[in-house]
Amino acid sequence: MNNKLKHNLTRYMDAGFPIIYINTYEEEKVDEMLLSSGSDREIYEWNETNGFIDFKTKMPMLEDYALDSVLNMLKIREMFERKTILLKGVAVYLEDAKIVSKLKGLARMICSGVDATVIIVSNTLVIPKELEKFITILEVDYPEHDEIRQIIRQFIKDNEMREIKEGLLNEMALAFKGLTEFEVNNLLALAYADDGELTRADLHLIFEQKQQIIKKAGILEMIPLKEQFEDIGGLENLKEWFARKAGVYKDLERAKRYGVDMPKGVLIAGIPGCGKSLSAKAAAALFEVPLLRLDMGRLLGKYVGESEGNLRKAVALAEAISPCVLWIDELEKAFAGIGGNNGASDVTTRLFGNFLTWMQEKDSPVFVVATANDIAKLPPELMRKGRFDEIFYVGLPVDEEREKIFRIHIEKRRADDLEKIRLSDLVVKTKGFSGADIEGVVKDAVKKAFVEGKGAVETQDLLDAIQNTHSLSEIMKDAIEKMAEEYKKRKFKNASR
Ligand code: ATP
């Protein structure tokens, strides 16, 4: 397990990388890896509970517990030579300038020929600027399908449980994708604790817990699939395009063998409230895969390297869970200013570079649906061929689309009243309304009719609600016209027919 991590750790140690930062809370796994690494160096460990100890014998090496004193001692070349120094729980100390400067001193000694390595193990990533060029980050791999099957089998054996059928084993392995070995074992123990066996009923528990774990990690969120394509009124071109991609996506192996490229994803840009997010959600349901939402705002961390680390983590997690849809909401928020004169920060520019490279080279079944309101803020590189399979523009719904949107939302709340409502009257009165505006009108009308004690919602209730609504185009007329022009100029595909 975690073979790649172990391989990289050994390689980096042999190559003289001064500080290796293993980003994990599975400390025992790292211990195991070091024990079986075959290195003949002595290993010393520092942790807050035991102070400075010999890693193998656990005997104290220094009476003084303070990290500061330990780092002082290691400054003596003879003490440091041919050692691996393992530091646990030091993330908080990495905000202390004195500690950082001492670690830098040790890193410099290694760079000038001392045979040693400092390994930091922590589940939070704190990279002080002064140490940036000395640190190499390693992340724990996620086990793949067959490995997860093996973990489940081992768990069943260890607990002397009844074997489970092949079909359930595969479904469980799929449900566990994107969790570490440690997390998989924890969830298995939880599922086992309630009734002493693993059954189909546990899949639900696994899914819920996995949702929590992913959310706690902070950058990705697993969104439950409620919306279907039938819930989108209009946007026929976009829906048709998705349907064609779904044909490839649901039959990936065969499509790949046939020579079809792995679909990369789509950028959907346009007016707020007109169904962009709805399309991202419905796409995952159509593809029959999980939907992950990437929070671009949270990606930007406060430490150097943290943002890139976060992106790498998010991508690794999405790839581990794949096939999936990765929805990147409000793309322009993260990459505003790049390529323009107002100067994005170095961090955003680097992050953007990493994102582009990933999009360009990606051949994993992570289908990206990026949504953006303001395309003018997006850097042109993003729109070059090879990044997205297609770019769509979503405008205000035309007459026929507004009728469909009314139909969908009335049907959701008052299906029986639909037949008597004159939709064409509503359509005439709602030029310039967004899908979200129309949903608002239906909600208001239903609420009003209820309060007034009416048996059914009628056309007039909806017309009254329309009268009381300030539509999107009324509120931001100029901005919308400018946007529409921008899209025309760039010749994006229109999502509507
Ligand atoms: P934003 O950029 O503000 O997030 P968006 O384009 O992503 O806007 P959505 O979140 O998809 O907009 O739309 C908001 C709500 O409006 C949806 O939840 C849906 O109920 C309704 N809506 C918008 N467009 C449509 C549509 N074409 N068909 C049906 N409902 C729609």
Side-chain angles (χ1 to χ4, degrees), residues 231-233 235 271-278 373 405 409 435-436 439:
D231 298 324
I232 308 177
L235 311 186
I271 317 268
C274 290
K276 298 187 297 291
S277 313
L278 196 57
N373 282 334
I405 301 174
H409 288 288
E439 187 188 15

Side-chain angles (χ1 to χ4, degrees), residues 353-364:
N354 291 354
F355 177 72
L356 282 189
T357 315
W358 177 66
M359 278 302 282
Q360 185 92 22
E361 293 171 358
K362 175 174 83 66
D363 69 349
S364 59

Side-chain angles (χ1 to χ4, degrees), residues 132-242:
E132 196 193 5
K133 65 175 190 197
F134 298 111
I135 289 182
T136 310
I137 304 164
L138 279 180
E139 317 264 3
V140 178
D141 312 328
Y142 297 103
E144 294 190 4
H145 192 80
D146 284 344
E147 290 171 304
I148 302 176
R149 279 171 52 106
Q150 196 48 41
I151 298 170
I152 302 173
R153 284 221 179 92
Q154 191 61 43
F155 184 87
I156 292 176
K157 207 163 135 204
D158 292 347
N159 291 285
E160 298 172 356
M161 294 159 69
R162 204 151 35 97
E163 282 294 329
I164 57 173
K165 292 221 171 79
E166 207 38 39
L168 180 59
L169 182 64
N170 279 330
E171 273 182 69
M172 283 208 159
L174 194 65
F176 278 129
K177 273 183 110 184
L179 298 180
T180 64
E181 182 180 358
F182 175 76
E183 289 161 345
V184 171
N185 273 312
N186 276 349
L187 285 194
L188 281 170
L190 192 66
Y192 169 63
D194 56 6
D195 56 2
E197 49 182 5
L198 295 178
T199 60
R200 196 160 290 275
D202 293 319
L203 286 172
H204 186 66
L205 173 90
I206 295 170
F207 182 80
E208 275 193 344
Q209 292 290 323
K210 177 162 137 182
Q211 227 173 340
Q212 296 273 331
I213 292 172
I214 290 173
K215 194 167 184 171
K216 264 187 231 150
I219 312 153
L220 287 182
E221 192 181 347
M222 236 174 136
I223 312 260
L225 302 179
K226 288 191 224 123
E227 286 83 355
Q228 304 285 329
F229 258 57
E230 299 79 68
D231 298 324
I232 308 177
L235 311 186
E236 299 301 334
N237 280 341
L238 179 64
K239 285 197 275 192
E240 212 177 275
W241 185 86
F242 268 123

